[in-house]
Amino acid sequence: MVITGYRAEHFRNLKWIELFPDPGVNVIFGENGQGKTNIIESIWMFTGCHSFRTHKHTELIEKGQREAKVSLSFTAHGMDNDARLSIQQKREFMLNGAVKESPRRFLGEFQSVVFSPTSLSIVQDAPAERRRFLDIAISMIRPAYSTHLLKYAKILANRNALLKHIAIGGAQEDYLDAWDEQLARCGAHLTMYRLHYVDEAARIAAEIYKEISGGKEDLRLEYQQSSRSFSVDEYEMTENLFTALQRNREGDIRRLQTSVGPHKDDLLIQVGDLSARSYASQGQQRSAALSLKLAEAYVIKDVCGEYPVILLDDVMSELDSARQNLLLEYLKNWQVFLTCCDTTHVSRLQNFKTFRIENGMFFGE
Ligand SMILES: Nc1ncnc2c1ncn2[C@@H]1O[C@H](COP(=O)(O)OP(=O)(O)OP(=O)(O)O)[C@@H](O)[C@H]1O
Ligand SMILES: [Mg+2]
């Protein structure tokens, strides 16, 4: 997957900007607050996912304007594509002249992986960050997954609403049975997707981490089901989740929320035998985040048969030179957009195109 042309109009501080990137490494550099991350963010939007910075579409529109437009020409599977995104109150995607019914219909058309200092939150933060990581990564390669996610969220919202109703004596407990059954079925289905993904990503991430640590340490990923089911069989998993929902029913009514299911699951990340979140050093956590992100890119490549576009926002200065070299070595054959304040960290690269940005505009190429 290679971007051949890019244009943004009224996207945050990018009033009008055009870019004809190199199929290899593109370095976008400039001082703080000039629009580097805005470019990365606007490219990322073509994954069909929400922005990695906000869920409010209107924040993406230049202040004082009513619409932001971004267009992307890219090749995928040997075909040229023209994608357009218009952001007003909602997002609207067009691919090769045809409007997509919803942004979700654009999932899977363009794949990209973003790595930035905030990627560390996958390792450091609460389980919700790791679930978000999994949900985005899986949606990109299995667009149907996002439909199941949406369905699950609706069932969960209904079950939670009923819990509140029961708590004030407005409904009987056994009304929950129907929701428990649906939640268990849909939840087990989601879990299957996640287990498959983790299985594949874990193998690749472990290999990468081994290399980063000079063969000294091991990285282990394990998907943990909040229902404490260790099954990998969907039917059995449904039964286990249903039983767990029933077991936790009283507590759920007291707390007015559902305490088991994929919305409470976690991805355990271990360095050696210890949880990376609680025990790993900053450097080890960074290596783990880098391994996970590179694994995400490789899984996309394996499943879709195309190299995703790599977006590296402000990461070079955070990595020591050995890790910088390794990262660039891994990404030798990929199209990369890399942002930084100055080009010293990338001077070791042999072929790359630079774009200096100032106040949302490029200064020569
Ligand atoms: N909706 C908007 N309308 C106008 N300007 C905006 C909007 N949203 C953000 N900006 C501005 O865009 C500018 C550039 O932001 P961006 O995050 O791309 O900077 P950057 O070059 O990545 O900086 P840094 O090196 O600090 O990461 C900021 O000054 C911000 O105020
Ligand atoms: Mg930035």
Side-chain angles (χ1 to χ4, degrees), residues 174-186:
D174 55 9
Y175 283 16
L176 280 169
D177 288 349
W179 292 114
D180 289 0
E181 207 181 302
Q182 286 192 52
L183 196 92
R185 214 174 314 123
C186 187

Side-chain angles (χ1 to χ4, degrees), residues 33-268:
Q34 300 306 310
K36 302 182 295 294
T37 303
N38 294 346
I39 293 180
I40 297 293
E41 185 184 31
S42 62
I43 295 175
W44 165 261
M45 295 303 293
F46 284 93
T47 58
C49 300
H50 281 279
S51 157
F52 49 79
R53 293 206 282 198
T54 180
H55 271 226
K56 290 190 193 143
H57 306 315
T58 47
E59 282 179 15
L60 303 172
I61 307 169
E62 185 189 351
K63 286 261 171 272
Q65 297 289 331
R66 291 181 45 218
E67 184 184 10
K69 289 185 193 168
V70 193
S71 58
L72 207 65
S73 305
F74 66 96
T75 54
H77 304 287
M79 302 226 309
D80 292 330
N81 293 283
D82 171 53
R84 284 161 200 242
L85 165 64
S86 150
I87 307 166
Q88 291 179 302
Q89 292 301 318
K90 286 189 192 162
R91 294 172 293 165
E92 187 178 88
F93 285 97
M94 253 170 76
L95 184 65
N96 302 324
V99 177
K100 294 277 177 184
E101 280 161 54
S102 73
R104 261 185 310 119
R105 298 265 173 211
F106 202 83
L107 284 168
E109 301 288 1
F110 172 81
Q111 280 109 358
S112 157
V113 171
V114 61
F115 183 52
S116 74
T118 54
S119 304
L120 204 53
S121 61
I122 302 170
V123 181
Q124 288 181 333
D125 287 5
E129 275 304 314
R130 285 178 285 287
R131 290 193 296 269
R132 211 166 73 87
F133 163 71
L134 291 176
D135 290 344
I136 292 173
I138 303 170
S139 297
M140 232 182 301
I141 52 169
R142 311 263 182 228
Y145 176 76
S146 73
T147 312
H148 297 300
L149 261 184
L150 202 70
K151 186 173 162 202
Y152 182 83
K154 282 186 186 153
I155 301 170
L156 182 65
N158 279 320
R159 187 181 192 269
N160 287 343
L162 183 57
L163 288 172
K164 286 178 192 139
H165 210 48
I166 294 169
I168 56 165
Q172 287 171 356
E173 253 185 68
D174 55 9
Y175 283 16
L176 280 169
D177 288 349
W179 292 114
D180 289 0
E181 207 181 302
Q182 286 192 52
L183 196 92
R185 214 174 314 123
C186 187
H189 200 55
L190 281 186
T191 310
M192 287 304 288
Y193 274 97
R194 289 186 181 171
L195 284 172
H196 278 141
Y197 184 82
V198 172
D199 208 35
E200 194 163 351
R203 198 172 29 80
I204 302 171
E207 272 172 36
I208 296 170
Y209 192 94
K210 192 113 199 156
E211 197 167 339
I212 297 177
S213 67
K216 286 190 253 141
E217 292 166 352
D218 289 315
L219 179 76
R220 210 172 70 80
L221 304 182
E222 187 191 312
Y223 187 75
Q224 293 187 314
Q225 299 179 48
S226 52
S227 62
R228 296 185 200 283
S229 167
F230 295 99
S231 174
V232 290
D233 171 78
E234 188 168 343
Y235 180 76
E236 223 172 75
M237 224 185 277
T238 308
E239 296 278 295
N240 292 344
L241 183 50
F242 183 78
T243 311
L245 285 164
Q246 305 256 312
R247 197 174 50 232
N248 288 287
R249 189 175 271 189
E250 255 177 58
D252 284 1
I253 294 170
R254 240 189 351 265
R255 286 185 294 270
L256 310 176
Q257 54 169 300
T258 304
S259 53
V260 287
H263 66 290
K264 291 283 180 190
D265 292 356
D266 197 1
L267 173 67
L268 179 69

